[in-house]
Amino acid sequence: MNSVANFSPSRSGRGFALSKLGAFFAPNSYLHTHFNFLLREINPALSLNALMAQVVAVIPETADTHSYVLRPPRRWQGFTAGMHIPITVEINGVMTRRTYTISSTPEQYQRQGTIAITVKRLAGGRLSSQLFKHLNVGQWLEIGEAIGEFTLDKAVSEKVLFLAAGSGITPFFSMLNSHLKISTSTYITLMYYCRRQDEFIFAQQLTKLAKAYSHFTLVPIFTDMEGRIDAIHLLQHCPDVAHRDVFVCGPEGFMARATTLLQQQGVTQRQIFQESFGRRLSPINLQTSTATSEVSFSKSTVRIESDGKKTILELAELAGLTPKYGCRSGICHECKCTKKSGQVVDYRNGKKSNLDTEEIQICVSIPHGVVEIAL
């Protein structure tokens, strides 16, 4: 009777060697880090740890808005019109992350292998100013996979209203260029608010689309002459708004005002789809203050008191920690951490969490009492 040796491959000579080699190349090991450094020196697109995209074109849209055409690496997974990506840039030695909507179409990525983000330079905007001043053709950006649910396939009505203000036009530009060519059954009206005509992003392209497709109506509104969004605008340009699905994107004040006006016209919450970075309830509405408010970061053995106004992300940064984050507004889920104990409040809706261990987004979570975070 023949016997067969029973042994673990990792105990054999070859298996043991491969096991050791695997350990050397494990993520964050010395060889892995060194090899990744060499690959990035040869070509940043070969990076093992990051998705690096090269800038292939910079297109001025307005005096303070540029579109950056990027070529992601081949392993990047693509996107649906309306989605956004995190961008990471080093500024004065500090890695800064922000989220930008993709303004190009999935079809462009499929044909040419490129995508575009459109960035409006904001007063006091650290990353937008950095990109505007220093990002040129040939340079590289670290990006993330596309995320988001602000997509036209969420609509169920045959009539849709897009409400945009400022750089909030970017997801709509992608949606329109992607959907108008392939679907004539959905009638879309875009009401786009900007201060002046010279701040009208994508003016020529949108005007051409409105002329080419009868099922698309473009309504530019310049607030220096016509004022902010109001009920008169809605009834004048979209009298059947109560029977439409409505997508809203823009600054916080515009979003809040638009939502109130829509509800006053009979639009239900189910019909409203929103995309906004940085929306936040006031601390008074949150009602988070307690006798004792403290956050303990268990992995770092750091504690910090809370004033009931700052998020756990902000408190962590004040304590000298550098947690991972993206949009800072609860959209991209890059900042998820484990809450080991305690209760937090989501500033977007005032909802309190459970007291049990659970995953939370620290960029939108404000501590309510004593909280322990695995960070």
Side-chain angles (χ1 to χ4, degrees):
M1 177 176 172
N2 294 330
S3 63
V4 179
N6 183 16
F7 61 87
S8 168
S10 63
R11 295 294 183 183
S12 69
R14 183 179 179 186
F16 185 71
L18 289 174
S19 175
K20 285 291 186 183
L21 186 62
F24 274 116
F25 277 96
N28 300 320
S29 68
Y30 172 77
L31 281 180
H32 182 276
T33 301
H34 184 64
F35 187 57
N36 183 61
F37 171 78
L38 293 177
L39 288 175
R40 288 186 66 159
E41 288 295 301
I42 297 170
N43 184 345
L46 299 176
S47 172
L48 300 175
N49 297 336
L51 293 167
M52 302 299 296
Q54 189 172 31
V55 181
V56 298
V58 179
I59 304 170
E61 303 290 356
T62 68
D64 61 358
T65 304
H66 285 169
S67 287
Y68 300 93
V69 182
L70 311 175
R71 188 180 303 281
R74 291 187 177 181
R75 68 180 187 276
W76 192 70
Q77 297 178 10
F79 71 105
T80 300
M83 287 184 171
H84 48 270
I85 55 172
I87 299 291
T88 302
V89 175
E90 183 177 342
I91 303 177
N92 298 325
V94 177
M95 303 306 291
T96 303
R97 296 167 64 87
R98 295 291 184 269
T99 301
Y100 292 102
T101 302
I102 301 171
S103 54
S104 56
T105 64
E107 293 75 26
Q108 175 180 318
Y109 179 62
Q110 293 165 6
R111 293 193 313 267
Q112 304 175 12
T114 61
I115 62 173
I117 59 171
T118 301
V119 181
K120 182 179 177 67
R121 181 173 56 179
L122 303 175
R126 187 165 55 159
L127 186 54
S128 64
S129 296
Q130 180 79 5
L131 297 179
F132 198 88
K133 294 177 182 178
H134 303 294
L135 188 62
N136 299 307
V137 172
Q139 294 180 310
W140 295 81
L141 282 177
E142 181 180 341
I143 67 172
E145 295 291 355
I147 47 180
E149 299 181 354
F150 192 71
T151 55
L152 196 51
D153 57 9
K154 296 294 186 293
V156 296
S157 174
E158 293 184 350
K159 291 186 176 182
V160 174
L161 172 63
F162 288 165
L163 288 175
S167 57
I169 190 63
T170 52
F172 299 131
F173 189 64
S174 178
M175 290 183 200
L176 289 166
N177 278 294
S178 181
H179 287 274
L180 288 177
K181 301 173 185 178
I182 60 176
S183 175
T184 58
S185 60
T186 302
Y187 291 83
I188 301 175
T189 295
L190 167 62
M191 293 173 61
Y192 178 36
Y193 287 80
C194 41
R195 283 187 297 177
R196 301 183 303 271
Q197 192 163 358
D198 61 356
E199 296 185 3
F200 187 174
I201 303 171
F202 305 130
Q204 293 184 355
Q205 301 96 312
L206 288 171
T207 301
K208 287 182 179 179
L209 287 176
K211 292 179 178 178
Y213 299 100
S214 59
H215 54 297
F216 170 49
T217 302
L218 172 64
V219 183
I221 299 174
F222 305 113
T223 58
D224 62 348
M225 298 176 60
E226 301 176 66
R228 297 187 301 165
I229 184 172
D230 60 22
I232 296 175
H233 292 164
L234 286 176
L235 294 175
Q236 177 183 352
H237 301 295
C238 194
D240 60 349
V241 63
H243 303 290
R244 296 190 180 222
D245 286 326
V246 185
F247 289 72
V248 189
C249 188
E252 178 181 350
F254 174 82
M255 296 277 292
R257 185 175 175 83
T259 300
T260 299
L261 290 169
L262 290 169
Q263 292 173 340
Q264 290 173 352
Q265 299 304 318
V267 182
T268 66
Q269 193 61 48
R270 182 195 60 78
Q271 295 171 263
I272 302 174
F273 304 88
Q274 300 182 349
E275 182 79 299
S276 178
F277 307 121
R279 295 189 69 206
R280 185 165 182 160
L281 297 175
S282 69
I284 295 175
N285 292 334
L286 288 172
Q287 298 178 347
T288 59
S289 59
T290 60
T292 304
S293 191
E294 180 184 81
V295 180
S296 170
F297 299 104
S298 58
K299 291 183 180 180
S300 309
T301 64
V302 173
R303 293 175 180 270
I304 187 170
E305 291 186 358
S306 169
D307 60 3
K309 300 178 182 178
K310 294 181 178 63
T311 65
I312 292 175
L313 173 59
E314 292 168 333
L315 292 168
E317 292 172 334
L318 284 174
L321 305 181
T322 56
K324 186 179 181 182
Y325 67 86
C327 64
R328 298 183 78 97
S329 58
I331 298 174
C332 72
H333 297 265
E334 289 280 329
C335 68
K336 270 193 172 181
C337 290
T338 301
K339 175 178 67 65
K340 299 180 70 175
S341 64
Q343 193 171 51
V344 298
V345 179
D346 188 324
Y347 73 52
R348 296 168 298 180
N349 52 30
K351 183 179 180 180
K352 293 180 181 179
S353 72
N354 297 319
L355 292 170
D356 303 328
T357 299
E358 60 184 336
E359 293 293 305
I360 64 168
Q361 294 171 265
I362 60 173
C363 73
V364 295
S365 297
I366 294 178
H368 183 69
V370 180
V371 178
E372 182 180 0
I373 304 294
L375 185 65

